[in-house]
């Protein structure tokens, strides 16, 4: 049995409460009795009943492990005997107050570290935590209650629990329980009710507990949706995504979306900017930085995502975060520009489906032109390539029709220059392949319609042969230069965009705004990856270890490079090298 326990990690169940006295320990012991009745081998590692009769009664019938006695400053104190529990090796251990600080000289400094050892040994643990003991909420709790909690536990320890159950109680009911003497002794009741247990304090702590637990439930939900590849929106909570273009109207959209989010308790605001996959953008980095600050000041989160198809990328992001509403600005297009397509707003509204509401918000930039204040870089996108092919295959025949119908008789040299102009236009618009096609079509038309003898494929004058060869060579040269320039521009712009994104993410980590896992999640989200891992090693001979990992299905943690999906070898260089 002992070997079987070593093959798996124990499971942790945590009862979370907003304040002392809500019934965490009572609920934990009730669960212990239920498991005992089912025949589970369960022991009480440590429970402090604080003189509460009903809690003390719940200990009857449960096997209690003896406590370790420690001498500290001339006094004999007791703590949980972790060694004794490990030797006993039960299936389940009940351990109260995970945030407790152990007496100096104990096996570990904190009780949650003792719990970690029990879990590593394959023992399931049932424990309790109050919301005010979570490390990240220390400043918030102090501002509410005026009391600084000395005993804290890292949020991640509790977040990793397999089950978290909120033990909730209305502030009025908790104060009645206090007044009846069910929590503290009679000499402490009045002081507690007038200080820590004031209705306002209890209401604020209760809200903290509810919101923290809701976030944890949301993580479970996202992980489940990722594991089962669920793309439709489950409207468990209002999440409002506001699409930004980098234009000045973004601030209006953010404020409007924030007002919508404020109308629903627990609503979330997420702002997202979709950049083209080649890194080229017409958005102002300065304006985007201002909008990011505004979003964060309003309690939302800012996201930078790369995608080829902006409407589809926006919808994928919204469904990925389980959003319920999308806020977009009215188009800046002028009326005649709609001939190029319906626009992002109309496309998103059409493809959003029944699970996403799309709000189109008016602003001061409506119908003032599509362009943003910053110049647009050259890009050979799909539309340009199609335009190049249309120029290459359509305009030469149109020019031939006009010249043969109206017979301008401008001379063969000018005929060549006119067709060369079309080929250059095809190269500038569509790149190499359309220009080559245009050169071939124009050469054939020049030969058949404008080179003596006309309407035949023969050429009588040697100079016309040279002209056609030079024409074709110039067309190919122009197309090659345009294609090379466009590719180099794309590469430079993408490198610039990636460096800017990574510098922002790294800066947020250095300033303490985000954890490493949060930065990796932003990288994964930005570049549309399934998973991202950060590898490190002490020196070139040491094996790689995974310092952090995130994936689309919600998995994270640390482990080996193989667990992170990396093929980095011991002798090679990788993400953690250098």
């Amino acid at each position: 049995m002992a070997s079987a326990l070593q093959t798996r990690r124990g499971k942790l169940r945590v009862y979370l409460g907003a304040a002392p006295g809500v019934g965490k320990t009572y609920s934990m012991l009730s669960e212990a009795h239920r498991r005992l009745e089912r025949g589970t081998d369960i022991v009480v590692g440590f429970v402090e009943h604080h003189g509460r009769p009903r809690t003390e009664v719940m200990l009857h019938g449960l096997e209690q492990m003896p406590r370790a006695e420690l001498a500290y400053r001339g006094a004999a104190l007791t703590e949980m005997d972790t060694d004794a529990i490990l030797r006993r090796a039960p299936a389940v251990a009940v351990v109260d107050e995970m945030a407790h600080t152990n007496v100096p000289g104990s096996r570990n400094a904190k009780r949650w570290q003792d719990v970690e050892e029990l879990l590593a040994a394959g023992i399931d643990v049932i424990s309790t935590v109050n919301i005010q003991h979570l490390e990240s909420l220390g400043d918030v709790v102090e501002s509410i209650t005026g009391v600084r909690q000395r005993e804290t536990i890292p949020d991640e320890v509790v977040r990793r629990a397999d089950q978290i159950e909120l033990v909730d109680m209305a502030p009025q009911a908790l104060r009645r329980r206090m007044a009846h003497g069910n929590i503290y002794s009679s000499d402490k009741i009045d002081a507690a009710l007038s200080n820590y247990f004031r209705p306002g304090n209890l209401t604020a702590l209760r809200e903290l507990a509810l919101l923290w637990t809701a976030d944890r439930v949301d993580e479970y939900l996202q992980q489940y949706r990722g594991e089962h590849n669920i793309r439709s929106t489950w409207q468990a909570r209002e999440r409002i995504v506001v699409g930004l273009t980098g234009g000045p109207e973004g601030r209006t959209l953010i404020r409007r979306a924030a007002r919508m989010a404020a109308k629903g308790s627990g609503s979330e605001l997420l702002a997202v900017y979709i950049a083209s996959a080649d890194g080229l953008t017409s958005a102002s980095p300065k304006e985007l930085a201002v909008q990011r600050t505004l979003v964060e000041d309003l309690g939302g989160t800012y996201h930078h995502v790369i995608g080829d198809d902006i409407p589809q990328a926006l919808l994928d992001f919204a469904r990925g975060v389980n959003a319920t509403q999308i806020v977009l600005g009215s188009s800046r297009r002028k009326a005649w520009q709609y001939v190029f397509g319906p626009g992002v707003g109309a496309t998103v509204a059409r493809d959003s489906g029944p699970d996403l509401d799309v709000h189109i918000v008016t602003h001061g930039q409506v119908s003032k032109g599509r362009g943003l204040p910053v110049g647009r870089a050259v890009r050979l996108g799909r539309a340009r390539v199609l335009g190049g092919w249309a120029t290459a295959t359509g305009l030469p025949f149109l020019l031939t029709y006009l010249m043969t119908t109206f017979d301008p008789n401008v001379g063969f040299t000018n005929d060549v220059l006119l067709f060369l102009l079309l080929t250059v236009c095809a190269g500038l618009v569509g790149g190499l392949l359309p220009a080559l096609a245009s050169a071939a079509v124009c050469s054939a038309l020049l030969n058949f319609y404008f080179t003596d003898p006309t309407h035949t494929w023969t050429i009588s004058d040697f100079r016309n042969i040279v002209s056609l060869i030079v024409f074709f060579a110039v067309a190919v040269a122009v197309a090659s230069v345009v294609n090379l320039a466009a590719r180099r521009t794309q590469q430079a712009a993408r490198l610039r965009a990636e460096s800017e994104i990574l510098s922002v993410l790294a800066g947020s980590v250095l300033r303490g705004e985000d954890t490493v896992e949060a930065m990796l999640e932003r990288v994964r989200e930005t570049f549309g990856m399934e998973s991202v891992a950060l590898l490190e090693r002490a020196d070139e001979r040491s094996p790689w270890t995974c310092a952090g990992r995130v994936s689309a299905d919600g998995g994270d943690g640390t482990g080996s490079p193989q667990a992170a999906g990396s093929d980095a070898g011991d002798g090679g260089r990788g993400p953690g090298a250098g």
Side-chain angles (χ1 to χ4, degrees):
M1 178 178 178
S3 61
L5 285 174
Q6 297 297 324
T7 61
R8 71 169 185 91
R9 178 180 172 84
K11 294 184 178 181
L12 175 62
R13 181 187 182 111
V14 173
Y15 287 90
L16 179 68
V22 295
K24 303 180 304 300
T25 303
Y26 190 93
S27 298
M28 176 182 66
L29 294 175
S30 297
E31 175 64 20
H33 278 285
R34 282 192 293 270
R35 298 199 184 193
L36 181 63
E37 291 172 359
R38 294 197 297 264
T40 303
D41 181 18
I42 186 168
V43 301
V44 174
F46 189 97
V47 168
E48 185 60 68
H49 54 74
H50 298 289
R52 299 168 188 169
R54 295 187 179 182
T55 303
E56 186 176 4
V57 168
M58 293 297 293
L59 287 169
H60 296 170
L62 296 173
E63 178 184 351
Q64 300 184 52
M65 298 297 298
R67 299 184 182 184
E69 294 187 359
L70 299 170
Y72 180 66
R73 293 183 178 180
L77 304 175
T78 61
E79 288 290 358
M80 182 175 72
D81 194 338
T82 305
D83 291 320
I85 299 175
L86 291 172
R87 288 193 298 269
R88 168 68 171 76
V92 182
V94 176
V95 181
D96 204 8
E97 299 178 356
M98 276 185 69
H100 172 74
T101 300
N102 291 331
V103 175
S106 300
R107 181 187 180 97
N108 294 300
K110 292 283 191 176
R111 186 167 294 163
W112 65 263
Q113 295 171 323
D114 296 328
V115 170
E116 286 292 316
E117 289 197 33
L118 298 179
L119 295 173
I123 300 173
D124 294 345
V125 176
I126 309 175
S127 190
T128 63
V129 173
N130 274 334
I131 193 68
Q132 66 264 30
H133 293 298
L134 294 178
E135 182 69 43
S136 67
L137 300 177
D139 294 337
V140 178
V141 173
E142 183 179 11
S143 66
I144 294 171
T145 65
V147 178
R148 185 69 183 186
Q149 297 294 329
R150 294 191 299 268
E151 294 186 326
T152 60
I153 181 173
D155 291 45
E156 187 58 31
V157 174
V158 183
R159 295 174 80 91
R160 286 200 304 264
D162 299 277
Q163 298 180 56
I164 299 176
E165 182 171 330
L166 178 65
V167 183
D168 188 31
M169 177 173 287
Q172 296 80 3
L174 183 57
R175 284 173 58 84
R176 285 196 300 270
R177 179 178 288 184
M178 171 71 71
H180 293 158
N182 294 330
I183 301 177
Y184 293 155
S185 58
S186 58
D187 59 323
K188 297 180 180 179
I189 293 176
D190 290 339
L193 289 174
S194 59
N195 290 285
Y196 194 89
F197 284 80
R198 293 195 303 269
N201 288 358
L202 297 178
T203 300
L205 292 172
R206 185 189 190 199
E207 183 177 17
L208 281 178
L210 290 169
L211 291 175
W212 195 93
T213 307
D215 288 338
R216 181 57 177 147
V217 173
D218 186 59
E219 290 178 13
Y220 282 127
L221 179 61
Q222 295 290 2
Q223 181 176 347
Y224 180 85
R225 284 163 51 83
E227 291 173 351
H228 293 79
N229 196 28
I230 298 173
R231 304 299 297 166
S232 61
T233 298
W234 288 1
Q235 300 184 3
R237 180 195 293 194
E238 289 291 340
R239 286 185 179 84
I240 301 174
V241 172
V242 53
L244 302 178
T245 64
E249 76 281 358
R251 304 182 202 182
T252 301
L253 302 183
I254 292 169
R255 293 189 181 98
R256 182 70 181 91
R259 290 197 299 272
M260 294 169 60
K263 293 179 180 179
S265 178
S267 298
E268 292 185 23
L269 172 64
L270 304 93
V272 58
Y273 171 71
I274 309 293
S276 58
D278 55 16
L280 301 174
T281 175
S282 58
S284 166
K286 182 178 180 180
E287 180 63 29
L288 284 175
V290 171
Q291 293 175 12
R292 173 176 182 164
T293 301
L294 177 60
V295 170
E296 293 173 347
D297 289 344
L298 292 173
T301 57
Y302 177 87
H303 305 263
H304 191 123
V305 176
I306 292 178
D308 286 313
D309 188 337
I310 291 179
Q312 189 59 47
L314 179 59
L315 288 171
D316 289 343
F317 173 82
R319 293 192 174 104
V321 299
N322 201 26
T324 56
Q325 302 180 58
I326 298 177
V327 176
L328 299 173
S330 296
S331 178
R332 294 188 305 271
R333 292 180 172 191
K334 296 183 181 297
W336 62 268
Q337 291 176 310
Y338 282 95
V339 299
F340 297 106
V344 173
T347 304
V348 171
R350 181 192 65 202
D351 298 338
S352 61
D355 53 349
L356 271 172
D357 297 333
V358 179
H359 304 268
I360 305 297
V361 178
T362 187
H363 51 83
Q365 303 298 316
V366 175
S367 301
K368 291 188 176 181
R370 297 179 63 188
L372 292 174
V374 185
R376 187 173 299 232
V378 178
R379 176 175 183 256
L380 293 184
R382 180 180 179 185
R384 284 191 57 173
V385 172
L386 293 176
W389 281 106
T391 302
T393 57
L395 292 186
F397 292 101
L398 178 60
L399 179 61
T400 300
Y401 172 77
L402 294 175
M403 293 179 66
T404 55
T405 301
F406 298 100
D407 191 19
N409 193 23
V410 295
F412 181 73
T413 301
N414 291 326
D415 293 337
V416 171
L417 291 176
L418 288 173
F419 278 98
L420 179 61
L421 176 62
L422 293 183
T423 302
V424 170
C425 290
L428 291 173
V429 174
L432 182 61
L433 294 179
L436 294 178
S438 177
V441 172
C442 290
S443 298
L445 293 175
L446 277 171
N447 181 17
F448 192 81
Y449 288 100
F450 303 102
T451 304
D452 292 331
T454 59
H455 300 94
T456 66
W457 296 107
T458 59
I459 303 176
S460 60
D461 191 341
F462 177 76
R463 290 174 298 179
N464 292 339
I465 298 178
V466 174
S467 298
L468 290 177
I469 294 175
V470 172
F471 165 80
F472 192 84
V474 169
V476 172
V478 170
S480 300
V481 170
V482 171
N483 188 61
L484 179 62
R487 280 185 301 154
R488 293 293 170 85
T489 303
Q490 291 172 2
Q491 293 170 358
R494 181 170 179 84
L495 290 174
R496 182 177 66 252
E498 291 180 357
S499 63
E500 289 176 355
I501 293 169
L502 294 177
S503 66
V504 170
L505 295 174
S508 65
V509 172
L510 293 176
R511 292 191 299 270
E513 298 173 359
D514 289 324
T515 63
V516 173
E517 284 74 18
M519 185 193 75
L520 295 178
E521 175 60 26
R522 285 293 181 89
V523 173
R524 186 200 67 77
E525 175 187 86
T526 297
F527 298 105
M529 300 177 179
E530 288 296 323
S531 62
V532 175
L534 176 65
L535 306 183
E536 63 178 2
R537 60 181 179 179
D539 51 57
E540 293 187 356
R541 296 184 178 180
S542 301
W544 290 105
T545 59
C546 183
R549 176 179 179 269
V550 296
S551 60
D553 60 6
D556 57 9
T558 58
S560 65
Q562 290 77 14
S566 169
D567 58 358
D570 289 346
R573 295 183 63 86

